[in-house]
Structure formats: C-alpha cells, structure tokens
Amino acid sequence: MIKKKGFTLAEVLITLAIIGVVAAMTIPTLIQNYQKHAWNTASMVFQRKLGDALTVMNSQGTLAGYSSTEDFVAELAKHMKISKICRNNDLMSCFSDKVFWGTENEEIDMTKVKTVKDFGRDDWEDTDIIGTMFADGTTGLIAYNKGCRQDPYSNRVITTSKEGIGTDCLAILYDTTGFKTPNTQQEDLRGLNIKSLGGSSCAFEINGICFTAPFTPAPITIAECEKLKDELQIQECHYDDDYWAGAVKTCGGVNKMPTMAQIAEIANYIFNTSDIGAYTDKINNVTLDYNKAADLGFTVTQNSSFLIWSNEETTNDPDGLGLASSRDFYPTETMWNNGARFFDAPQAVCLGD
C-alpha cells in the first residue's frame, strides 16, 4: 500500500492567513514607494520641459523684459504645450482651491493666493499670478519676476544661473496630477522659487531644522549690497554679481541663512549617510539620491550638480575676492567649499519660522 501525504485544510488556511498578513503589511508600502517615485519622476520631467522652453526663449531674446505675468505666459505658451490659461480673477479654473503645504501639511486656501507676494517673494516687484493647464495634465500657478533682465548682445539673463537657464525669472507652483489628490507638497505638489505659501514657510524639516523651499538666488550689485549690508548683517561688498548676497537678501539676513552644520544635515539626508559633518572634506563613496533632492524641492536632473550657500562669510580675504562657505553636491561626491560669491550656479535655502 502507498501512503499519500498532503497538507491538511487547517495547514492550508494557516498558510493563506500568513500570506495575507504579509501582503497586507508590504503591499501598501510598495504602492507608496512606487507612487513617490512616480511623483518625483513626473516633477523632474516637467522641470526639464520647462527648462528647455526657457532655454529656447533665452536664445531668442524673449525671456525677459515683460511688464506682467500674463505677457510672459503668452510667450511661454509658444514653446511649451499649454492647453489652458486662466487669468488672475479665475485662477481656480486651472488649479485646486485647497492644497497642503509645509512639514505640518497645513491646508492652504488657494483662493487667497493672488500675487507673487503670496509666494513669499517680497524681494520681487509685485505682479499677479496666472494659472495654467499643461498638455501633460500638470496644472500650475505662475508669477513672473519683473526684475529679470536680458543682455541684448549676449542674451545673458542677469538674474539666472547656468543650471536651468531662466528659472529664476519666474516662480511656479505646479501639481503633476492636476486636480487629483493628494495636492500635497513633496508628493504631487511642487514649487520652484516659492519661499512660502499662505504664511507657511517651513517647506521641509530634517532633524528638527525647518527650511524654506529651495530657490536660485538672483545676484545683487555692489551698490545694493552696500545699501543693505547693515540691515542684512553682511560684512563686506565686492562686485556687481554677488549671488551669495542675493541669497542673504532673499532670506532676510545672514541669521536666516543655514549654517554649514545645518547644510550637512541636508547632505546626510540626500546622500543616505551620517558621515558628513559641517566641514567634512571631499567624500567620494556616496551617491546623490536625486529622488530625495527633487522631493525636497531642489532643481535637479540626473547627473547634475549644485551647491548650497551657508551663512558664513569670509572677511579680509587677501585676494579681495569676497568668499562665502557652501557645500557642493555632485552625483558621487560632496565637499565643503569656501568660494567666490560671484559663482553663478548655486541654490539656496533659508531657515523657516
């Protein structure tokens, strides 16, 4: 006689129950991670398309010199597929009326967001916000920086950086899923050159440190630096394209800029390590997590690099260059740097309230 062996009904039910419990624990996390990756990818693709459009406008000499956001958006629509433009009195036809912003996911009533000042850009001349719906489903609110100027001979934009040509000529709040939920910052909702929204200035928080949304600082002249240096606690002014002083102006003073130690906290988070200190020199055994960088709001594309200014100014430099400390973020390495303030490919953050 052959004795057959098999699972009992109880054993099968127990096995299925275990599989169900494991699935219930892991599938939501997998879905969440997938959704997060999808949001980050959509954000980077949108920023690349926007950067390409601004690059073309820059080459054609049509990037700067507008008297209103509406005129700027009309030109942008020639270089980027926009399916609908909403005037200032009808913004909610192009954007959700409520969003969640900041580390506390504060609910913001978007019906009250009307001008660039509502993006926290008190350093820009006031201008109305215009709504847009892009062909890929992304919705956006755009405010033009009327201080943006373009050299007619070189096409150089005075307030722009080499990375993402012209991106500091505008501030934009965009939602990669349009009117669909969750309408939440660092998820489907992202911003470029937005310092605060509806009074919420804490865009992200790392180890209890509150930071505003990253931005590309516009440089200020030596004359403006001299005029503001006491108010901003700047020690020395040196030249007419001072990007560090421009960041200090945007933040509202040196004391509103992060220290090197605070920037190191950002670096440890983005590089997935804990080995980076305030003045840790070159580390080349790390990999920049572009999803995390984009998640925090930094303007990045794959294999790109950037630096973040600190509040530390070097005075009495024997070469008279005017230096400030920063941290460089490269694809596979990071280092602290004490460099010239006219370096024109920076990004910056302020300390939030």
Side-chain angles (χ1 to χ4, degrees):
M1 295 181 65
I2 300 174
K3 186 177 182 181
K4 296 182 179 180
K5 294 183 179 180
F7 294 108
T8 66
L9 177 61
E11 290 172 332
V12 172
L13 291 176
I14 291 172
T15 301
L16 291 175
I18 293 173
I19 293 174
V21 171
V22 172
M25 294 173 61
T26 59
I27 289 177
T29 300
L30 292 174
I31 294 174
Q32 184 179 20
N33 290 340
Y34 172 80
Q35 185 64 75
K36 197 78 169 177
H37 179 73
W39 286 326
N40 288 335
T41 300
S43 176
M44 287 189 283
V45 169
F46 176 79
Q47 287 200 23
R48 185 179 70 248
K49 290 179 180 179
L50 177 62
D52 290 343
L54 297 176
T55 299
V56 173
M57 292 171 65
N58 179 68
S59 66
Q60 295 179 352
T62 60
L63 184 58
Y66 298 97
S67 59
S68 70
T69 302
E70 190 168 1
D71 291 341
F72 170 79
V73 171
E75 180 62 31
L76 178 65
K78 299 176 183 178
H79 309 281
M80 195 172 183
K81 293 181 179 180
I82 297 177
S83 58
K84 185 177 181 179
I85 297 176
C86 299
R87 294 187 174 182
N88 188 258
N89 61 356
D90 190 31
L91 294 178
M92 296 305 97
S93 292
C94 284
F95 207 81
S96 301
D97 59 354
K98 293 186 186 299
V99 303
F100 299 92
W101 185 264
T103 57
E104 301 298 326
N105 282 343
E106 178 183 349
E107 183 176 305
I108 306 296
D109 182 358
M110 296 305 296
T111 63
K112 298 179 181 179
V113 176
K114 290 291 187 180
T115 74
V116 70
K117 303 300 182 183
D118 296 316
F119 284 165
R121 300 312 308 230
D122 295 325
D123 53 322
W124 290 9
E125 187 179 346
D126 205 9
T127 185
D128 284 344
I129 290 172
I130 296 296
T132 53
M133 294 181 67
F134 296 90
D136 64 357
T138 300
T139 58
L141 297 178
I142 299 176
Y144 178 68
N145 178 7
K146 291 196 287 188
C148 189
R149 295 290 181 267
Q150 191 167 5
D151 188 303
Y153 300 103
S154 67
N155 277 347
R156 181 174 182 267
V157 179
I158 303 304
T159 64
T160 194
S161 69
K162 288 181 179 177
E163 274 191 83
I165 293 176
T167 53
D168 49 336
C169 286
L170 77 158
I172 179 171
L173 178 70
Y174 63 95
D175 189 332
T176 58
T177 61
F179 288 97
K180 297 178 181 178
T181 57
N183 300 331
T184 301
Q185 186 192 17
Q186 297 185 20
E187 294 183 2
D188 57 340
L189 187 69
R190 306 297 172 95
L192 180 65
N193 288 330
I194 294 177
K195 188 178 175 184
S196 63
L197 184 65
S200 178
S201 64
C202 191
F204 65 91
E205 186 174 315
I206 297 177
N207 289 339
I209 306 167
C210 173
F211 299 95
T212 66
F215 62 96
T216 301
I220 63 175
T221 64
I222 189 171
E224 186 175 8
C225 179
E226 289 288 353
K227 180 180 179 180
L228 296 174
K229 72 176 187 179
D230 290 339
E231 175 186 343
L232 300 177
Q233 306 98 45
I234 295 174
Q235 299 300 312
E236 296 178 355
C237 300
H238 296 271
Y239 27 72
D240 283 338
D241 52 355
D242 194 329
Y243 284 84
W244 176 80
V248 173
K249 177 187 174 185
T250 298
C251 289
V254 169
N255 63 335
K256 289 290 187 178
M257 294 277 286
T259 64
M260 287 299 296
Q262 290 167 332
I263 294 174
E265 296 288 353
I266 298 176
N268 279 313
Y269 176 77
I270 291 178
F271 283 102
N272 296 305
T273 184
S274 59
D275 297 332
I276 303 170
Y279 302 100
T280 302
D281 207 352
K282 186 174 182 179
I283 295 180
N284 54 16
N285 60 342
V286 292
T287 301
L288 196 154
D289 190 326
Y290 283 93
N291 282 326
K292 280 190 171 182
D295 189 40
L296 296 183
F298 289 99
T299 303
V300 293
T301 56
Q302 205 69 29
N303 298 319
S304 66
S305 60
F306 61 96
L307 67 80
I308 302 177
W309 290 117
S310 79
N311 65 351
E312 298 180 13
E313 174 185 5
T314 300
T315 58
N316 300 317
D317 173 48
D319 296 324
L321 291 177
L323 306 176
S325 296
S326 63
R327 175 159 291 281
D328 296 332
F329 292 70
Y330 294 103
T332 57
E333 63 185 34
T334 179
M335 67 188 73
W336 85 277
N337 182 39
N338 193 36
R341 287 157 36 176
F342 56 73
F343 184 70
D344 63 346
Q347 293 191 55
V349 293
C350 310
L351 296 177
D353 297 325

